């Protein structure tokens, strides 16, 4: 009887950790304008607070499995919670933007390890036939984070201060540490191969350089070429990693993954989709507060339809794909996403219209995320599954980070060239139009997918 109790306790532990991570990912967005005012910065240049966290998570995901195997799941999981709590405390104590960014990096170190290590512990602790049900249980609390995060962040800012957006993590983390010591199994595994330190360093450097390069563009001044140096450096590091991986015996991510057609398409579709849609969690709260004059709390409440409609749409993804096929479903949704992004330029003063748009956007995002995640991994063999899944997780996080950077850069650049007599809404409108073009790019990639629709649906 003891084993089911232990397994259930482990599931609850990982589920709460995932909830804490997803909550933190959304609770900050509505508080950014207030943070900017307190730290004497423009709200249009606070994207580094979000980027620092997302980029750190993306960089460390490839190392999470190796660290757990080398030092044990319990030790690494507890370290993850501790680093997340320490980063949260440092965020709350920050008195400058630079300190806040460094503190978010500490948070990101913890956030990058919690779910992968927790998922690994579950995979090795319960029968494989129960894994799908177990992960469904773990994921459900995490889906609540985006629902309550924006509104909770806005409420804390209004009734207390922005510091509580981070301090709220501390009691949960303390409980998590105590429970982890009793519940988390101490599992280790000998892989029989060395970790690809050089490949990891090259990829980490590339991700950092590309994100920083895009961020630097938002602060662009004539004659300053720092952004170009970072972007070129990032591209060169990626090329260097490709050359290294092509002859290495055990590279971090085998190049053979890209010989699988569906993975190749899914990889690039994920990147462009995230670069477009990833900007919205930053832009929409700013749009509602700076462009529509909503309070932080009300702008947070307005974000709830995105998460609720995403949860509802997820129930119908399988039915849609079975009826119309991956290619037709994903291509149609990509076109509708571009139209939805563009439509934000049409209802500048209608809150009801904005809520409807956000609901539609959440549903489309849910369908796309499930579809391209599945198609990318569908045709990988057993040997390719693990590195393919890890690389997909990395590119999703990196795409989200690049999306935040792209959205902030577009908004800042358009703000600099806003014609006289136009409000800040002009900058938002053109940013939405460019992002619509980015999310449309995957629709052309989906044409390369096999037509897997039923015969009566094919043309």
């Amino acid at each position: 009887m003891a084993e089911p109790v232990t397994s259930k306790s482990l599931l609850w532990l990982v589920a709460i950790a995932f909830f804490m991570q997803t909550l933190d990912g959304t609770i900050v967005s509505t508080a950014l304008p207030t943070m900017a005012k307190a730290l004497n910065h423009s709200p249009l240049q606070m994207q580094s607070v979000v980027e620092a966290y997302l980029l750190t998570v993306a960089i460390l995901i490839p190392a999470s499995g190796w660290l757990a195997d080398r030092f044990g799941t319990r030790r690494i999981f507890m370290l993850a919670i501790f680093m997340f709590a320490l980063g949260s405390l440092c965020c709350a104590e920050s008195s400058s933007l630079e300190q806040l960014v460094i503190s978010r990096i500490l948070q990101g170190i913890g956030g990058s390890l919690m779910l992968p290590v927790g998922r690994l512990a579950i995979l090795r602790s319960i029968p494989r036939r129960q894994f799908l049900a177990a992960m469904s249980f773990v994921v459900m609390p995490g889906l609540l984070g985006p629902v309550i995060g924006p509104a909770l962040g806005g409420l804390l800012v209004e009734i207390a201060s922005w510091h509580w957006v981070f301090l709220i993590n501390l009691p949960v983390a303390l409980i998590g540490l105590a429970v982890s010591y009793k519940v988390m199994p101490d599992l280790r595994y000998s892989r029989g191969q060395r970790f690809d330190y050089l490949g990891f360093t090259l990829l980490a450097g590339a991700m950092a350089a590309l994100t920083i390069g895009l961020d630097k563009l938002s602060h662009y001044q004539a004659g300053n070429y720092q952004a170009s140096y970072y972007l070129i450096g990032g591209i060169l590091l990626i090329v260097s990693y490709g050359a290294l991986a092509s002859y290495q015996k055990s590279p971090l991510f085998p190049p053979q993954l890209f010989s699988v057609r569906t993975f190749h398409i899914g990889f690039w579709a994920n990147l462009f989709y995230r670069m477009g849609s990833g900007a919205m969690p930053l832009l929409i709260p700013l749009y509602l507060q700076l462009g529509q004059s909503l309070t932080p709390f009300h702008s947070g409440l307005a974000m709830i339809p995105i998460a609720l409609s995403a949860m509802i749409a997820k129930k119908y993804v399988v039915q849609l794909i079975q009826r119309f096929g991956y290619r037709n479903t994903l291509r149609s949704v990509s076109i509708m996403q571009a139209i939805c992004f563009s439509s934000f330029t049409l209802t500048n003063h209608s809150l009801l219209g904005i809520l409807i748009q956000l609901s539609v956007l959440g549903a489309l995002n849910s369908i796309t995320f499930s579809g391209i995640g599945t198609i990318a991994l569908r045709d990988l063999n057993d040997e390719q599954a693990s590195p393919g899944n890890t690389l997909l997780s990395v590119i999703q996080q990196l795409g989200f980070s690049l999306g935040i950077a792209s959205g902030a850069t577009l908004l800042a650049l358009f703000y600099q060239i806003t014609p006289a007599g136009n409000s800040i809404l002009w900058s938002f409108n053109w940013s939405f139009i460019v992002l619509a073009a980015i999310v449309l790019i995957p629709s052309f990639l989906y044409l390369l997918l096999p037509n897997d629709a039923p015969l009566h649906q094919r043309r």
Side-chain angles (χ1 to χ4, degrees), residues 442-458:
S443 68
F444 299 100
L445 296 174
Y446 299 141
L447 289 173
L448 302 175
L449 290 172
N451 190 358
D452 54 349
L455 290 176
H456 67 277
Q457 294 288 344
R458 299 183 183 182

Side-chain angles (χ1 to χ4, degrees), residues 321-339:
I321 292 177
Q322 287 178 343
R323 180 173 177 81
F324 300 105
Y326 278 100
R327 186 171 77 175
N328 293 339
T329 300
L330 291 174
R331 189 160 186 263
S332 299
V333 170
S334 179
I335 294 171
M336 287 188 284
Q337 281 176 316
I339 295 173

Side-chain angles (χ1 to χ4, degrees), residues 95-123:
S95 58
S96 68
L97 179 60
E98 292 74 19
Q99 291 178 2
L100 185 57
V101 168
I102 294 173
S103 301
R104 288 286 281 173
I105 291 174
L106 289 177
Q107 264 194 321
I109 293 173
S112 67
L113 299 174
M114 278 194 290
L115 183 60
V117 174
R119 181 169 51 198
L120 184 63
I122 292 173
L123 179 62

Side-chain angles (χ1 to χ4, degrees), residues 148-455:
I148 68 175
L152 180 60
L155 180 63
L156 288 173
V157 164
E158 290 192 24
I159 66 174
S161 69
W162 66 266
H163 306 83
W164 282 96
V165 169
F166 302 106
L167 291 175
I168 196 174
N169 293 324
L170 298 184
V172 181
L174 290 175
I175 296 172
L177 282 173
V179 176
S180 298
Y181 184 75
K182 294 183 177 181
V183 172
M184 178 62 65
D186 191 19
L187 304 174
R188 300 171 188 240
Y189 179 73
S190 177
R191 291 177 177 266
Q193 64 184 45
R194 291 178 58 84
F195 183 69
D196 184 9
Y197 293 101
L198 181 56
F200 173 77
T201 302
L202 290 174
L203 275 185
M207 289 188 284
L210 291 173
T211 304
I212 294 172
L214 281 175
D215 183 73
K216 291 289 184 182
L217 280 177
S218 66
H219 305 273
Y220 176 76
Q221 295 178 346
N224 189 335
Y225 302 105
Q226 279 190 343
S228 301
Y229 300 149
Y230 278 106
L231 293 173
I232 293 172
I235 294 172
L236 291 176
L237 287 171
I238 291 178
V239 172
S240 300
Y241 173 79
L244 174 71
S246 63
Y247 71 83
Q248 247 189 342
K249 184 178 179 180
S250 300
L252 195 62
F253 300 115
Q256 291 76 16
L257 288 171
F258 292 94
S259 65
V260 181
R261 183 181 180 186
T262 49
F263 181 85
H264 199 165
I265 296 170
F267 176 92
W268 289 108
N270 264 284
L271 179 62
F272 287 112
Y273 157 69
R274 287 283 187 158
M275 283 187 66
S277 65
M280 300 305 270
L282 173 73
L283 291 190
I284 291 176
L286 291 175
Y287 171 73
L288 294 175
Q289 293 183 49
L290 302 180
Q292 300 297 330
S293 301
L294 295 185
T295 65
F297 177 57
H298 288 108
S299 68
L301 288 176
M303 296 288 286
I304 290 178
I306 295 182
L308 289 180
S309 61
M311 294 173 66
I312 295 172
K314 192 174 287 291
K315 299 179 181 180
Y316 301 98
V317 173
V318 174
Q319 297 176 31
L320 283 172
I321 292 177
Q322 287 178 343
R323 180 173 177 81
F324 300 105
Y326 278 100
R327 186 171 77 175
N328 293 339
T329 300
L330 291 174
R331 189 160 186 263
S332 299
V333 170
S334 179
I335 294 171
M336 287 188 284
Q337 281 176 316
I339 295 173
C340 186
F341 277 37
S342 301
S343 71
F344 278 95
T345 65
L346 304 177
T347 56
N348 293 332
H349 303 289
S350 171
L351 181 58
L352 177 60
I354 292 172
L355 293 177
I356 294 173
Q357 289 169 301
L358 294 177
S359 299
V360 173
L361 182 61
L364 295 175
N365 284 344
S366 180
I367 296 170
T368 302
F369 183 72
S370 298
I372 57 180
T374 306
I375 196 66
L377 302 176
R378 186 184 67 176
D379 298 330
L380 299 181
N381 59 36
D382 290 342
E383 185 178 350
Q384 296 168 327
S386 178
N389 180 58
T390 303
L391 180 55
L392 184 65
S393 298
V394 171
I395 205 64
Q396 287 172 346
Q397 288 291 333
L398 175 63
F400 204 0
S401 179
L402 294 176
I404 295 292
S406 299
T409 297
L410 289 170
L411 187 58
L413 292 179
F414 282 123
Y415 184 72
Q416 292 179 14
I417 61 173
T418 301
N422 286 271
S423 69
I424 194 173
L425 286 174
W426 188 90
S427 309
F428 279 106
N429 289 344
W430 278 104
S431 299
F432 288 137
I433 290 173
V434 175
L435 292 172
I438 294 175
V439 297
L440 190 61
I441 293 175
S443 68
F444 299 100
L445 296 174
Y446 299 141
L447 289 173
L448 302 175
L449 290 172
N451 190 358
D452 54 349
L455 290 176

